[in-house]
Amino acid sequence: MRSTIIHSIVSALLVFCVVSHGPAGSIEAPVSDATQECLTCHSTATPAIVEDWKKSRHSVVTPLQALGRPELHRRVSASNISNHLSGYVVGCAECHTLNVENHKDTLVHNEKKTHLTVTPRDCSTCHPAEAEQYEKNLMAFAHVNLVGNSVYSQMMHSINGSVTFDDRKTTISAPDEKTQAESCLACHGTKLQVTGVKKRETDYGEMEFVEMSGYPNQGVGRLNPDDSKGSCSSCHGRHQFSIQMARKPYTCSQCHKGPDVPAYKIYSVSKHGAMFSSMEKEWNFNNVPWVAGKDFTAPTCATCHVSLVTDPEGKIVSKRTHQMADRLPWRIFGLIYSHAHPKSPDTTIIKNKDGVQLPTSLDGQPAAGFLISKQEQDLRKDTMQAVCLTCHSQGWVKGHWDRFQNTLQTTDSSVLTATRILFRAWDEKLAGKDDLFDEAIEKQWTEQWLFFANSTRIASAMMGNDYGVFDNGRWYMNKNLQDMLDRLFFLRSAKKSDR
Ligand code: HEC
Ligand code: HEC
Ligand code: HEC
Ligand code: HEC
Ligand code: HEC
Ligand code: HEC
Ligand code: HEC
Ligand code: HEC
């Protein structure tokens, strides 16, 4: 025990040395007394967390130093940061003891009120712009948008429930919480709820820890114990929170992979992705601002969707946004058709003409009152295209965009054909309308928009052509229509012979 403590103190001193001569070249980067105390135990209690933190900018730069950088080079967006925080590097205590009064997961941990989760609201102490923008991103609402929507809840039920068979028919049970947490909610985010406090024996004697349902989880729309939404570490993995990680496409691949949302696969086989894979090692992923042509020669997901990009002269091409929809005129993830982007990131408020919580009706009418105007779409298109135009000329970009617009139309039309076949099955009572996702012909219909039309649209937007043709693309769209028609005929003849 004694040797553990001595070891801890030595490690803590070592931490301090590293901190003082950190890679960011800081002259003197002091660690607060509170953090020093955490390090004393944690360099043995959770040693890899401490080492990881030591590699972060947080461990070497004080908010005061960060605030002193020229505007374009700033990595903190706060205009001022309170005195008790600004003079020390951002250590364990600076994050895990912020806003303790708002955190339902706050516990007294070695005589100090400490919380396990560190939420967007905590980060906003020093990064308010990113946190405010993120609140307006669909991602922050990813949990709410699923769970608060009756159609999507039906879909979760049909996918995650367990199916049993008794002689003639199958029955599906409601999905259990653990299954939900490791399927849909792994990406969309769980609800963290403190359920109790548990005492546990540790190297430092008996200590108390919170118990939380829905934990662990790093989903983009997680509901946090301080009532904020989301988890910044879904893209900025702890405890380095590096910009480099967020700028590389691997980060997004965790969730955007498909077959419903294949952006990463598509990007990987695009020319842009091919250039990234070949030349990644020669690019600079740490520079702020990020200079097109100099730091990188082809875009990653971040370049087109998030980054502050300048041209080699230092002129701003696009401002950084954590809102992301800023650059998206369309919602191409069709539910069930593509449509103008929703005005609010909370999509549960949308009602289509039939009173259903969907941005389009099943026969293709957009719920226009809830969607952005043509003017706003043009503005967002220009913001996205400004990024393209640092590397391409106008004709190249326009030619690409015209094909993309055309693909929105052709894929929507193919979804309408599938829907007409389904309507026919419903009209003839060959399938039940009450649950949209339970019968085989409905599952085929779902694949038409969720897999094939979405894949084709995303492939068109982000130039991974194979995913718009033979790999979940146009081939399958047309094949599936034939399969649906055959199933309709089969259901008709089965009904006749049943009589
Ligand atoms: C006396 C030693 C000691 C001190 C001082 C200490 N911790 Fe801990 N802490 C521990 C131990 C032991 C654990 C349990 C690790 C495990 O579960 O393996 C722990 C766990 C944690 C956890 C995870 C809790 C959970 O429920 O999983 C967090 C977060 C944490 N500490 C933060 C801090 C912060 C921040 C400080 C400083 C303000 C601090 N600790 C100071 C010993 C200490
Ligand atoms: C920039 C803010 C920040 C700093 C600095 C920070 N943490 Fe964390 N820490 C987080 C976030 C975010 C999480 C993820 C918690 C969640 O799920 O919200 C986390 C999680 C943890 C956990 C639980 C992780 C697990 O896998 O069980 C421990 C333990 C912990 N931190 C300890 C520390 C220690 C020790 C330090 C100092 C060396 C530290 N933290 C510094 C933000 C921070
Ligand atoms: C007390 C202030 C403070 C808090 C709280 C804080 N940060 Fe930071 N953050 C900083 C400072 C200071 C830097 C370094 C700025 C610099 O180098 O100019 C930084 C840098 C960053 C960077 C850039 C890293 C890089 O590689 O360029 C990211 C990303 C980041 N923070 C995310 C977060 C997240 C996520 C949280 C919450 C979990 C958080 N920060 C909490 C002050 C803070
Ligand atoms: C691997 C991560 C991941 C999992 C698991 C996941 N999703 Fe998603 N989901 C996404 C992504 C990414 C998007 C956004 C796609 C886009 O905008 O192109 C999304 C968007 C959605 C939307 C659109 C919500 C809206 O109103 O904007 C629905 C509905 C949806 N998913 C349903 C589900 C259901 C149901 C499940 C579980 C059966 C599920 N998802 C599981 C990643 C995931
Ligand atoms: C942990 C999972 C996860 C990660 C990691 C992730 N996303 Fe998402 N993303 C989602 C989900 C889920 C949605 C859909 C939310 C909804 O529709 O309710 C989404 C939606 C989006 C949207 C639509 C946003 C809007 O407001 O219209 C964009 C653009 C996006 N993601 C880009 C990215 C990029 C770029 C990265 C990597 C830097 C990334 N995502 C990383 C899960 C994730
Ligand atoms: C969907 C992925 C994603 C999520 C979630 C996310 N970020 Fe980011 N973040 C990025 C990307 C990509 C960049 C790089 C932007 C650039 O190149 O200008 C970035 C950059 C940053 C920077 C600038 C760092 C610098 O060096 O200038 C900060 C600070 C930051 N994020 C904070 C946050 C905070 C706080 C949250 C939570 C509210 C958050 N991020 C959530 C993707 C994400
Ligand atoms: C060359 C620029 C570019 C790159 C690189 C890029 N995207 Fe896109 N992305 C676009 C365009 C253009 C659209 C379609 C615009 C719209 O939806 O209005 C789009 C649409 C999306 C959407 C759909 C949002 C919706 O409306 O449904 C998501 C999600 C997305 N991209 C994620 C990613 C991810 C993840 C990566 C990296 C693996 C990536 N993008 C790489 C340009 C790009
Ligand atoms: C950082 C520079 C950069 C940015 C930003 C960029 N591109 Fe590219 N793009 C390239 C390069 C380089 C190539 C490869 C040209 C070649 O084939 O040699 C390329 C290739 C392409 C291709 C050809 C794909 C193929 O399979 O041949 C299209 C289409 C394209 N870009 C469209 C866009 C659009 C649209 C945007 C913005 C949404 C964009 N690019 C943003 C650098 C960029």
Side-chain angles (χ1 to χ4, degrees):
M1 180 71 192
R2 190 189 196 124
S3 72
T4 318
I5 291 172
I6 291 170
H7 177 78
S8 305
I9 292 169
V10 171
S11 316
L13 287 171
L14 283 176
V15 168
F16 194 78
C17 293
V18 171
V19 161
S20 306
H21 310 285
S26 48
I27 325 137
E28 178 79 345
V31 177
S32 70
D33 290 347
T35 288
Q36 205 58 263
E37 228 172 280
C38 319
L39 292 172
T40 311
C41 290
H42 276 272
S43 39
T44 44
T46 57
I49 288 182
V50 172
E51 290 304 319
D52 196 21
W53 169 76
K54 281 198 262 172
K55 295 197 179 91
S56 74
R57 293 186 81 96
H58 285 139
S59 75
V60 289
V61 182
T62 67
L64 201 63
Q65 291 167 326
L67 287 168
R69 297 190 202 281
E71 185 71 22
L72 268 186
H73 298 258
R74 289 250 308 254
R75 292 173 202 241
V76 293
S77 52
S79 45
N80 57 9
I81 295 169
S82 76
N83 284 341
H84 75 282
L85 289 170
S86 60
Y88 301 105
V89 299
V90 186
C92 325
E94 283 65 35
C95 281
H96 285 276
T97 67
L98 276 175
N99 310 317
V100 282
E101 62 292 348
N102 299 332
H103 269 267
K104 295 186 193 80
D105 57 330
T106 296
L107 265 193
V108 177
H109 183 61
N110 307 293
E111 294 158 17
K112 197 164 215 88
K113 284 186 178 165
T114 308
H115 43 77
L116 169 57
T117 59
V118 180
T119 69
R121 195 168 295 161
D122 299 324
C123 312
S124 78
T125 310
C126 303
H127 305 293
E130 287 76 12
E132 267 165 40
Q133 289 166 353
Y134 189 70
E135 276 176 13
K136 298 183 199 140
N137 191 314
L138 274 177
M139 281 191 256
F141 285 82
H143 173 96
V144 174
N145 285 346
L146 263 201
V147 174
N149 184 304
S150 55
V151 181
Y152 307 157
S153 297
Q154 212 172 50
M155 192 170 166
M156 275 202 279
H157 184 275
S158 81
I159 297 169
N160 291 338
S162 309
V163 179
T164 50
F165 174 64
D166 59 19
D167 225 19
R168 260 186 84 85
K169 65 175 187 13
T170 53
T171 312
I172 189 160
S173 63
D176 61 84
E177 195 196 309
K178 289 194 172 65
T179 301
Q180 299 278 62
E182 71 174 26
S183 66
C184 312
L185 304 182
C187 301
H188 284 255
T190 55
K191 178 176 185 176
L192 294 184
Q193 224 164 357
V194 177
T195 53
V197 172
K198 199 172 185 177
K199 287 200 171 104
R200 206 167 0 110
E201 202 47 56
T202 74
D203 287 351
Y204 308 88
E206 194 179 70
M207 290 168 92
E208 286 188 330
F209 298 94
V210 285
E211 292 196 300
M212 261 192 298
S213 59
Y215 185 83
N217 177 269
Q218 306 286 307
V220 285
R222 192 180 75 178
L223 300 186
N224 296 314
D226 63 350
D227 299 328
S228 65
K229 293 191 185 69
S231 140
C232 307
S233 33
S234 53
C235 293
H236 302 286
R238 66 173 185 273
H239 272 85
Q240 284 193 54
F241 300 100
S242 84
I243 195 169
Q244 164 156 219
M245 178 182 173
R247 279 174 171 173
K248 290 190 176 171
Y250 312 122
T251 306
C252 321
S253 81
Q254 187 189 340
C255 303
H256 290 266
K257 203 158 189 173
D260 53 336
V261 290
Y264 175 76
K265 289 191 287 195
I266 284 162
Y267 171 76
S268 305
V269 301
S270 72
K271 186 69 123 222
H272 295 144
M275 294 179 81
F276 163 79
S277 310
S278 315
M279 287 177 291
E280 177 186 4
K281 291 204 172 62
E282 291 150 37
W283 292 359
N284 185 329
F285 286 92
N286 282 311
N287 251 6
V288 174
W290 216 14
V291 185
K294 230 166 135 188
D295 293 332
F296 60 94
T297 52
T300 65
C301 321
T303 322
C304 290
H305 290 289
V306 192
S307 294
L308 163 65
V309 178
T310 68
D311 68 12
E313 314 263 77
K315 202 173 122 247
I316 297 181
V317 172
S318 57
K319 293 188 192 140
R320 179 179 302 137
T321 181
H322 276 66
Q323 189 170 341
M324 295 206 198
D326 286 358
R327 303 182 189 176
L328 298 174
W330 298 103
R331 181 94 174 112
I332 61 174
F333 183 70
L335 296 158
I336 62 173
Y337 302 88
S338 67
H339 53 84
H341 212 281
K343 283 180 189 160
S344 163
D346 179 354
T347 60
T348 62
I349 62 171
I350 298 177
K351 282 216 165 69
N352 68 17
K353 71 174 167 56
D354 304 316
V356 181
Q357 276 172 304
L358 284 178
T360 62
S361 62
L362 294 190
D363 58 6
Q365 301 274 328
F370 297 93
L371 310 177
I372 59 169
S373 64
K374 173 83 175 55
Q375 238 175 346
E376 175 66 20
Q377 278 193 297
D378 286 342
L379 210 71
R380 294 185 185 191
K381 185 187 79 181
D382 292 346
T383 313
M384 171 66 86
Q385 291 192 353
V387 186
C388 322
L389 291 171
T390 32
C391 304
H392 295 294
S393 59
Q394 306 232 357
W396 182 283
V397 175
K398 183 175 181 301
H400 169 77
W401 205 267
D402 287 349
R403 289 182 196 149
F404 167 55
Q405 297 289 322
N406 181 57
T407 297
L408 297 186
Q409 279 170 19
T410 55
T411 50
D412 284 344
S413 145
S414 158
V415 172
L416 183 61
T417 306
T419 308
R420 288 205 173 122
I421 299 175
L422 178 65
F423 279 172
R424 188 44 92 119
W426 283 344
D427 286 348
E428 296 180 26
K429 307 261 180 312
L430 302 172
K433 218 171 165 171
D434 45 323
D435 187 327
L436 289 181
F437 305 101
D438 59 341
E439 286 162 89
I441 194 165
E442 290 166 337
K443 289 187 194 287
Q444 287 178 312
W445 168 75
T446 304
E447 289 186 351
Q448 189 74 2
W449 49 272
L450 189 63
F451 294 172
F452 311 141
N454 277 343
S455 184
T456 307
R457 281 196 279 264
I458 297 176
S460 171
M462 286 166 272
M463 309 119 199
N465 302 48
D466 210 12
Y467 290 96
V469 191
F470 292 112
D471 205 337
N472 276 348
R474 293 168 177 90
W475 166 264
Y476 284 99
M477 271 199 298
N478 285 353
K479 175 177 179 290
N480 195 41
L481 290 177
Q482 190 59 43
D483 287 345
M484 283 183 76
L485 189 67
D486 285 357
R487 184 161 298 271
L488 181 73
F489 292 154
F490 164 78
L491 289 170
R492 268 186 198 145
S493 55
K495 192 179 177 188
K496 269 194 204 127
S497 61
D498 232 21
R499 266 199 225 120

